[in-house]
Amino acid sequence: MELTGGNTDIIEFPVPSDEWQIYVDAFSQTSKRLEDPNHFTAAFQLKSNEILYAINTGDSMIAGTATYTDVPHAGFVDLIYEAMPPKYRFKKPYDVNVTALREGKIVEATLRFAEFKFSTKEEDLTERTGGVIHNPPY
């Protein structure tokens, strides 16, 4: 699904359906809620003026597994981290250098991560861990 038409001032953030409402509630605490373009996408105006679309993918997360959403620009990792309320921020944005083999050649790339930790209820002892990643093609 392409809501943005390639506009870099718009961030598409697809999340599994069982985490979608958690992200919508969290972003609602820090960002202005805009009119939603459809029933499975929530729109937010970030403080940095970008528009963030939290998109319900309809997928389910795997219990006990961290869920990371890939975004097309490393800077989006920082913007999404800043849009998350401080109580849900787990690890601030950081880089990981990787080396891979592509078409018989060694290539290097830098991945950018930010991590979140939250639970669905204040009294819930089970926390979900997830985050956002920029994983450039290499």
Side-chain angles (χ1 to χ4, degrees):
M1 171 193 3
E2 178 73 22
L3 293 170
T4 66
N7 187 337
T8 57
D9 293 332
I10 297 176
I11 303 168
E12 290 184 353
F13 188 64
V15 294
S17 61
D18 43 2
E19 291 184 332
W20 184 74
Q21 191 61 52
I22 296 168
Y23 278 102
V24 169
D25 293 345
F27 292 137
S28 294
Q29 294 176 35
T30 61
S31 304
K32 179 182 176 186
R33 183 80 184 258
L34 303 174
E35 183 178 339
D36 297 338
N38 53 53
H39 69 279
F40 53 87
T41 303
F44 301 92
Q45 178 79 49
L46 303 181
K47 291 178 183 174
S48 55
N49 289 326
E50 285 84 4
I51 295 173
L52 173 68
Y53 288 118
I55 303 167
N56 183 337
T57 64
D59 299 329
S60 292
M61 64 176 279
I62 300 169
T65 303
T67 305
Y68 290 90
T69 297
D70 192 7
V71 293
H73 304 288
F76 287 176
V77 172
D78 298 79
L79 292 172
I80 292 169
Y81 178 82
E82 290 299 322
M84 185 62 65
K87 69 180 182 179
Y88 299 120
R89 296 177 187 164
F90 184 54
K91 290 185 181 176
K92 64 183 179 179
Y94 61 94
D95 293 331
V96 174
N97 295 318
V98 296
T99 303
L101 191 61
R102 180 180 182 191
E103 297 176 2
K105 296 179 183 176
I106 296 175
V107 293
E108 295 183 6
T110 301
L111 310 181
R112 185 135 181 95
F113 288 88
E115 297 181 33
F116 312 124
K117 186 174 271 193
F118 39 72
S119 63
T120 53
K121 300 176 186 166
E122 292 289 328
E123 66 276 358
D124 191 356
L125 297 177
T126 304
E127 292 182 323
R128 294 180 189 248
T129 304
V132 60
I133 180 176
H134 169 60
N135 185 6
Y138 50 87

